[in-house]
């Protein structure tokens, strides 16, 4: 998480760390045969489950098992729709900036696999109105957990466009690959045999300083290209599982993060 810091105290001397800013975590060193001390940072930025122990036959070895989360938020997070929040009904609310996507033709929410929305590929989708938080003018990253039930033509996961030549961003399956597309011609297309009915973790990034777009599937980089087409924003709504000319998603979407 953004802003999380871990500090280690002195080693064999049994030193400790305490205090610090929100989101920091201190782990004290362990003396021989003793237990190191643990303090979360001032401001309560994290939670911990930590065990430190000395090694009576060694020289201050510290064994640490920890679970740490930070309350620090990412200031660049534009939108985060998460199926894991148990939200069902006629809308899906973004937890980062409160953008509300209204569902059309009743896609189905299911609590299995952590929670996700299921779309029929023919008329089910969501749409949220334009907002400043949804306009991306430069550096960009997009993440989604999703699966497709078919491997056929174009199937849109998420986009902000009504005019194909003035697309702020579009993320879609293209036959058996994944496409990120913007402003009529920019973006990256890559991967193969992605859409086989299995869940995929898709990440797309664009670095505006060097115009490099990258595509990752399940944590592995599958394509990197230089795309010199400038990005342009628009005032169009965003679409989930569709775009304005009816390229519907057939499958499940568990998460969208921009």
């Amino acid at each position: 998480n953004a802003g999380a810091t871990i500090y280690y105290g002195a080693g064999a001397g049994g030193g400790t760390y305490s205090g610090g800013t929100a989101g920091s975590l201190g782990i004290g060193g362990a003396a021989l045969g003793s237990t190191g001390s643990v303090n979360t940072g001032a401001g309560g930025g994290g939670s911990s489950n930590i065990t430190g122990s000395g090694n009576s036959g060694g020289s201050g070895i510290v064994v640490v098992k920890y679970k740490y989360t930070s309350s620090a938020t990412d200031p660049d997070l534009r939108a985060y729709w998460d199926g894991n929040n148990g939200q069902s009904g006629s809308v899906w609310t973004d937890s980062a900036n409160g953008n509300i996507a209204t569902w059309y033709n009743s896609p189905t929410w299911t609590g299995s696999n952590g929670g996700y929305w299921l779309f029929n590929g023919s008329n089910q989708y969501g749409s949220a109105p334009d907002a400043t938080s949804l306009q991306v003018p430069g550096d960009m990253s997009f993440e989604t957990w999703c699966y497709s039930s078919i491997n056929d033509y174009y199937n849109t996961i998420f986009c902000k466009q009504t005019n194909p030549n003035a697309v702020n961003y579009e993320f879609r399956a293209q036959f058996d690959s994944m496409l990120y597309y913007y402003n009529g011609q920019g973006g990256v297309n890559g991967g193969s045999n992605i859409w086989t009915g299995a869940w995929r973790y898709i990440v797309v990034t664009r670095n505006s300083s060097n115009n490099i777009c990258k595509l990752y599937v399940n944590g592995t980089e599958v394509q990197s290209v230089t795309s010199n087409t400038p990005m342009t924003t628009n005032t169009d709504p965003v679409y989930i599982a569709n775009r304005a000319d009816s390229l519907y998603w057939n499958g499940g979407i568990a998460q969208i993060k921009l």
Side-chain angles (χ1 to χ4, degrees), residues 14-48:
T16 64
Y17 173 84
S18 62
T21 59
S24 64
L25 172 68
I27 302 175
L32 298 181
S34 65
T35 300
S37 64
V38 177
N39 294 277
T40 56
S47 63
S48 59

PDB file of all heavy atoms in Angstrom, residues 14-48:
ATOM      1  N   GLY A  14      19.089  -6.101  21.058  1.00  0.00           N
ATOM      2  CA  GLY A  14      17.734  -6.012  21.589  1.00  0.00           C
ATOM      3  C   GLY A  14      17.117  -4.652  21.418  1.00  0.00           C
ATOM      4  O   GLY A  14      16.253  -4.241  22.190  1.00  0.00           O
ATOM      5  N   GLY A  15      17.538  -3.897  20.405  1.00  0.00           N
ATOM      6  CA  GLY A  15      17.013  -2.561  20.182  1.00  0.00           C
ATOM      7  C   GLY A  15      15.561  -2.576  19.784  1.00  0.00           C
ATOM      8  O   GLY A  15      15.022  -3.586  19.377  1.00  0.00           O
ATOM      9  N   THR A  16      14.899  -1.445  19.940  1.00  0.00           N
ATOM     10  CA  THR A  16      13.491  -1.334  19.578  1.00  0.00           C
ATOM     11  C   THR A  16      13.295  -0.153  18.647  1.00  0.00           C
ATOM     12  O   THR A  16      14.131   0.733  18.542  1.00  0.00           O
ATOM     13  CB  THR A  16      12.605  -1.126  20.827  1.00  0.00           C
ATOM     14  OG1 THR A  16      12.957   0.122  21.432  1.00  0.00           O
ATOM     15  CG2 THR A  16      12.804  -2.250  21.817  1.00  0.00           C
ATOM     16  N   TYR A  17      12.145  -0.156  17.982  1.00  0.00           N
ATOM     17  CA  TYR A  17      11.727   1.007  17.209  1.00  0.00           C
ATOM     18  C   TYR A  17      10.340   1.382  17.675  1.00  0.00           C
ATOM     19  O   TYR A  17       9.474   0.526  17.820  1.00  0.00           O
ATOM     20  CB  TYR A  17      11.690   0.721  15.708  1.00  0.00           C
ATOM     21  CG  TYR A  17      11.083   1.886  14.943  1.00  0.00           C
ATOM     22  CD1 TYR A  17      11.865   2.975  14.585  1.00  0.00           C
ATOM     23  CD2 TYR A  17       9.726   1.912  14.650  1.00  0.00           C
ATOM     24  CE1 TYR A  17      11.319   4.058  13.942  1.00  0.00           C
ATOM     25  CE2 TYR A  17       9.169   3.003  14.001  1.00  0.00           C
ATOM     26  CZ  TYR A  17       9.972   4.071  13.646  1.00  0.00           C
ATOM     27  OH  TYR A  17       9.423   5.140  13.014  1.00  0.00           O
ATOM     28  N   SER A  18      10.079   2.632  17.918  1.00  0.00           N
ATOM     29  CA  SER A  18       8.742   3.084  18.281  1.00  0.00           C
ATOM     30  C   SER A  18       8.510   4.439  17.647  1.00  0.00           C
ATOM     31  O   SER A  18       9.432   5.137  17.261  1.00  0.00           O
ATOM     32  CB  SER A  18       8.573   3.173  19.794  1.00  0.00           C
ATOM     33  OG  SER A  18       9.490   4.119  20.321  1.00  0.00           O
ATOM     34  N   GLY A  19       7.232   4.810  17.581  1.00  0.00           N
ATOM     35  CA  GLY A  19       6.883   6.086  16.974  1.00  0.00           C
ATOM     36  C   GLY A  19       6.895   6.001  15.465  1.00  0.00           C
ATOM     37  O   GLY A  19       6.883   4.932  14.886  1.00  0.00           O
ATOM     38  N   GLY A  20       6.911   7.132  14.796  1.00  0.00           N
ATOM     39  CA  GLY A  20       6.888   7.163  13.341  1.00  0.00           C
ATOM     40  C   GLY A  20       5.563   7.688  12.836  1.00  0.00           C
ATOM     41  O   GLY A  20       4.652   7.969  13.589  1.00  0.00           O
ATOM     42  N   THR A  21       5.462   7.804  11.551  1.00  0.00           N
ATOM     43  CA  THR A  21       4.262   8.362  10.943  1.00  0.00           C
ATOM     44  C   THR A  21       3.217   7.283  10.728  1.00  0.00           C
ATOM     45  O   THR A  21       3.506   6.091  10.796  1.00  0.00           O
ATOM     46  CB  THR A  21       4.603   8.995   9.598  1.00  0.00           C
ATOM     47  OG1 THR A  21       5.167   8.000   8.751  1.00  0.00           O
ATOM     48  CG2 THR A  21       5.595  10.123   9.776  1.00  0.00           C
ATOM     49  N   ALA A  22       2.002   7.703  10.451  1.00  0.00           N
ATOM     50  CA  ALA A  22       0.940   6.755  10.136  1.00  0.00           C
ATOM     51  C   ALA A  22       1.349   5.901   8.956  1.00  0.00           C
ATOM     52  O   ALA A  22       1.908   6.390   7.987  1.00  0.00           O
ATOM     53  CB  ALA A  22      -0.355   7.507   9.829  1.00  0.00           C
ATOM     54  N   GLY A  23       1.079   4.629   9.038  1.00  0.00           N
ATOM     55  CA  GLY A  23       1.441   3.727   7.961  1.00  0.00           C
ATOM     56  C   GLY A  23       2.806   3.104   8.152  1.00  0.00           C
ATOM     57  O   GLY A  23       3.233   2.303   7.348  1.00  0.00           O
ATOM     58  N   SER A  24       3.538   3.447   9.249  1.00  0.00           N
ATOM     59  CA  SER A  24       4.851   2.854   9.471  1.00  0.00           C
ATOM     60  C   SER A  24       4.756   1.732  10.494  1.00  0.00           C
ATOM     61  O   SER A  24       3.830   1.659  11.284  1.00  0.00           O
ATOM     62  CB  SER A  24       5.848   3.912   9.945  1.00  0.00           C
ATOM     63  OG  SER A  24       5.468   4.430  11.205  1.00  0.00           O
ATOM     64  N   LEU A  25       5.724   0.858  10.465  1.00  0.00           N
ATOM     65  CA  LEU A  25       5.732  -0.297  11.346  1.00  0.00           C
ATOM     66  C   LEU A  25       7.137  -0.512  11.850  1.00  0.00           C
ATOM     67  O   LEU A  25       8.086  -0.541  11.060  1.00  0.00           O
ATOM     68  CB  LEU A  25       5.250  -1.539  10.582  1.00  0.00           C
ATOM     69  CG  LEU A  25       5.373  -2.888  11.292  1.00  0.00           C
ATOM     70  CD1 LEU A  25       4.403  -2.929  12.454  1.00  0.00           C
ATOM     71  CD2 LEU A  25       5.071  -4.008  10.320  1.00  0.00           C
ATOM     72  N   GLY A  26       7.333  -0.648  13.161  1.00  0.00           N
ATOM     73  CA  GLY A  26       8.657  -0.864  13.714  1.00  0.00           C
ATOM     74  C   GLY A  26       8.810  -2.276  14.226  1.00  0.00           C
ATOM     75  O   GLY A  26       7.922  -2.819  14.869  1.00  0.00           O
ATOM     76  N   ILE A  27       9.947  -2.894  13.933  1.00  0.00           N
ATOM     77  CA  ILE A  27      10.240  -4.238  14.420  1.00  0.00           C
ATOM     78  C   ILE A  27      11.552  -4.157  15.186  1.00  0.00           C
ATOM     79  O   ILE A  27      12.591  -3.837  14.616  1.00  0.00           O
ATOM     80  CB  ILE A  27      10.369  -5.252  13.270  1.00  0.00           C
ATOM     81  CG1 ILE A  27       9.072  -5.262  12.458  1.00  0.00           C
ATOM     82  CG2 ILE A  27      10.690  -6.634  13.796  1.00  0.00           C
ATOM     83  CD1 ILE A  27       9.155  -6.137  11.239  1.00  0.00           C
ATOM     84  N   GLY A  28      11.523  -4.447  16.493  1.00  0.00           N
ATOM     85  CA  GLY A  28      12.731  -4.357  17.298  1.00  0.00           C
ATOM     86  C   GLY A  28      13.645  -5.544  17.072  1.00  0.00           C
ATOM     87  O   GLY A  28      13.197  -6.646  16.770  1.00  0.00           O
ATOM     88  N   GLY A  29      14.934  -5.330  17.231  1.00  0.00           N
ATOM     89  CA  GLY A  29      15.891  -6.421  17.157  1.00  0.00           C
ATOM     90  C   GLY A  29      15.795  -7.290  18.389  1.00  0.00           C
ATOM     91  O   GLY A  29      15.379  -6.861  19.460  1.00  0.00           O
ATOM     92  N   ALA A  30      16.198  -8.541  18.295  1.00  0.00           N
ATOM     93  CA  ALA A  30      16.129  -9.465  19.423  1.00  0.00           C
ATOM     94  C   ALA A  30      17.518  -9.710  19.970  1.00  0.00           C
ATOM     95  O   ALA A  30      18.457  -9.981  19.235  1.00  0.00           O
ATOM     96  CB  ALA A  30      15.504 -10.781  18.980  1.00  0.00           C
ATOM     97  N   ALA A  31      17.640  -9.638  21.282  1.00  0.00           N
ATOM     98  CA  ALA A  31      18.886 -10.043  21.919  1.00  0.00           C
ATOM     99  C   ALA A  31      18.955 -11.565  21.946  1.00  0.00           C
ATOM    100  O   ALA A  31      17.987 -12.250  21.634  1.00  0.00           O
ATOM    101  CB  ALA A  31      18.944  -9.489  23.337  1.00  0.00           C
ATOM    102  N   LEU A  32      20.100 -12.098  22.314  1.00  0.00           N
ATOM    103  CA  LEU A  32      20.255 -13.545  22.355  1.00  0.00           C
ATOM    104  C   LEU A  32      19.243 -14.160  23.298  1.00  0.00           C
ATOM    105  O   LEU A  32      19.159 -13.801  24.464  1.00  0.00           O
ATOM    106  CB  LEU A  32      21.677 -13.911  22.805  1.00  0.00           C
ATOM    107  CG  LEU A  32      22.815 -13.449  21.892  1.00  0.00           C
ATOM    108  CD1 LEU A  32      24.143 -13.899  22.469  1.00  0.00           C
ATOM    109  CD2 LEU A  32      22.642 -13.997  20.505  1.00  0.00           C
ATOM    110  N   GLY A  33      18.460 -15.088  22.776  1.00  0.00           N
ATOM    111  CA  GLY A  33      17.517 -15.809  23.607  1.00  0.00           C
ATOM    112  C   GLY A  33      16.322 -15.004  24.048  1.00  0.00           C
ATOM    113  O   GLY A  33      15.559 -15.455  24.891  1.00  0.00           O
ATOM    114  N   SER A  34      16.134 -13.810  23.532  1.00  0.00           N
ATOM    115  CA  SER A  34      15.012 -12.981  23.969  1.00  0.00           C
ATOM    116  C   SER A  34      14.113 -12.648  22.798  1.00  0.00           C
ATOM    117  O   SER A  34      14.336 -13.079  21.686  1.00  0.00           O
ATOM    118  CB  SER A  34      15.537 -11.691  24.615  1.00  0.00           C
ATOM    119  OG  SER A  34      16.221 -10.913  23.650  1.00  0.00           O
ATOM    120  N   THR A  35      13.096 -11.878  23.063  1.00  0.00           N
ATOM    121  CA  THR A  35      12.110 -11.533  22.038  1.00  0.00           C
ATOM    122  C   THR A  35      12.179 -10.055  21.709  1.00  0.00           C
ATOM    123  O   THR A  35      12.214  -9.220  22.617  1.00  0.00           O
ATOM    124  CB  THR A  35      10.684 -11.874  22.521  1.00  0.00           C
ATOM    125  OG1 THR A  35      10.627 -13.264  22.789  1.00  0.00           O
ATOM    126  CG2 THR A  35       9.651 -11.515  21.461  1.00  0.00           C
ATOM    127  N   GLY A  36      12.224  -9.737  20.433  1.00  0.00           N
ATOM    128  CA  GLY A  36      12.226  -8.349  20.005  1.00  0.00           C
ATOM    129  C   GLY A  36      10.882  -7.698  20.231  1.00  0.00           C
ATOM    130  O   GLY A  36       9.859  -8.363  20.337  1.00  0.00           O
ATOM    131  N   SER A  37      10.861  -6.393  20.350  1.00  0.00           N
ATOM    132  CA  SER A  37       9.611  -5.675  20.585  1.00  0.00           C
ATOM    133  C   SER A  37       9.070  -5.125  19.278  1.00  0.00           C
ATOM    134  O   SER A  37       9.790  -4.919  18.310  1.00  0.00           O
ATOM    135  CB  SER A  37       9.825  -4.538  21.580  1.00  0.00           C
ATOM    136  OG  SER A  37      10.701  -3.578  21.044  1.00  0.00           O
ATOM    137  N   VAL A  38       7.759  -4.885  19.242  1.00  0.00           N
ATOM    138  CA  VAL A  38       7.067  -4.447  18.042  1.00  0.00           C
ATOM    139  C   VAL A  38       6.207  -3.247  18.379  1.00  0.00           C
ATOM    140  O   VAL A  38       5.504  -3.234  19.379  1.00  0.00           O
ATOM    141  CB  VAL A  38       6.180  -5.577  17.475  1.00  0.00           C
ATOM    142  CG1 VAL A  38       5.399  -5.079  16.271  1.00  0.00           C
ATOM    143  CG2 VAL A  38       7.014  -6.780  17.119  1.00  0.00           C
ATOM    144  N   ASN A  39       6.278  -2.211  17.561  1.00  0.00           N
ATOM    145  CA  ASN A  39       5.429  -1.036  17.745  1.00  0.00           C
ATOM    146  C   ASN A  39       4.924  -0.569  16.399  1.00  0.00           C
ATOM    147  O   ASN A  39       5.704  -0.415  15.470  1.00  0.00           O
ATOM    148  CB  ASN A  39       6.195   0.111  18.401  1.00  0.00           C
ATOM    149  CG  ASN A  39       6.603  -0.196  19.820  1.00  0.00           C
ATOM    150  OD1 ASN A  39       5.828  -0.046  20.742  1.00  0.00           O
ATOM    151  ND2 ASN A  39       7.837  -0.658  19.982  1.00  0.00           N
ATOM    152  N   THR A  40       3.609  -0.333  16.294  1.00  0.00           N
ATOM    153  CA  THR A  40       3.103   0.305  15.075  1.00  0.00           C
ATOM    154  C   THR A  40       3.371   1.794  15.171  1.00  0.00           C
ATOM    155  O   THR A  40       3.573   2.346  16.243  1.00  0.00           O
ATOM    156  CB  THR A  40       1.599   0.061  14.894  1.00  0.00           C
ATOM    157  OG1 THR A  40       0.924   0.528  16.064  1.00  0.00           O
ATOM    158  CG2 THR A  40       1.314  -1.412  14.685  1.00  0.00           C
ATOM    159  N   GLY A  41       3.385   2.451  14.016  1.00  0.00           N
ATOM    160  CA  GLY A  41       3.703   3.866  13.977  1.00  0.00           C
ATOM    161  C   GLY A  41       2.642   4.732  14.614  1.00  0.00           C
ATOM    162  O   GLY A  41       1.476   4.369  14.712  1.00  0.00           O
ATOM    163  N   ALA A  42       3.043   5.880  15.079  1.00  0.00           N
ATOM    164  CA  ALA A  42       2.092   6.838  15.624  1.00  0.00           C
ATOM    165  C   ALA A  42       1.074   7.204  14.559  1.00  0.00           C
ATOM    166  O   ALA A  42       1.398   7.353  13.404  1.00  0.00           O
ATOM    167  CB  ALA A  42       2.839   8.084  16.090  1.00  0.00           C
ATOM    168  N   GLY A  43      -0.153   7.345  14.950  1.00  0.00           N
ATOM    169  CA  GLY A  43      -1.214   7.649  13.999  1.00  0.00           C
ATOM    170  C   GLY A  43      -1.976   6.405  13.592  1.00  0.00           C
ATOM    171  O   GLY A  43      -2.980   6.476  12.909  1.00  0.00           O
ATOM    172  N   GLY A  44      -1.515   5.263  14.041  1.00  0.00           N
ATOM    173  CA  GLY A  44      -2.286   4.040  13.843  1.00  0.00           C
ATOM    174  C   GLY A  44      -2.432   3.637  12.408  1.00  0.00           C
ATOM    175  O   GLY A  44      -3.475   3.139  12.008  1.00  0.00           O
ATOM    176  N   GLY A  45      -1.395   3.808  11.581  1.00  0.00           N
ATOM    177  CA  GLY A  45      -1.523   3.541  10.161  1.00  0.00           C
ATOM    178  C   GLY A  45      -1.519   2.088   9.767  1.00  0.00           C
ATOM    179  O   GLY A  45      -1.709   1.770   8.615  1.00  0.00           O
ATOM    180  N   GLY A  46      -1.292   1.158  10.694  1.00  0.00           N
ATOM    181  CA  GLY A  46      -1.216  -0.234  10.257  1.00  0.00           C
ATOM    182  C   GLY A  46      -1.696  -1.172  11.328  1.00  0.00           C
ATOM    183  O   GLY A  46      -1.891  -0.812  12.475  1.00  0.00           O
ATOM    184  N   SER A  47      -1.897  -2.414  10.962  1.00  0.00           N
ATOM    185  CA  SER A  47      -2.199  -3.461  11.923  1.00  0.00           C
ATOM    186  C   SER A  47      -1.160  -4.547  11.752  1.00  0.00           C
ATOM    187  O   SER A  47      -0.617  -4.745  10.673  1.00  0.00           O
ATOM    188  CB  SER A  47      -3.598  -4.027  11.684  1.00  0.00           C
ATOM    189  OG  SER A  47      -3.679  -4.631  10.417  1.00  0.00           O
ATOM    190  N   SER A  48      -0.849  -5.261  12.835  1.00  0.00           N
ATOM    191  CA  SER A  48       0.229  -6.223  12.732  1.00  0.00           C
ATOM    192  C   SER A  48      -0.049  -7.475  13.536  1.00  0.00           C
ATOM    193  O   SER A  48      -0.786  -7.466  14.508  1.00  0.00           O
ATOM    194  CB  SER A  48       1.547  -5.596  13.217  1.00  0.00           C
ATOM    195  OG  SER A  48       1.419  -5.165  14.557  1.00  0.00           O
TER     196      SER A  48
END
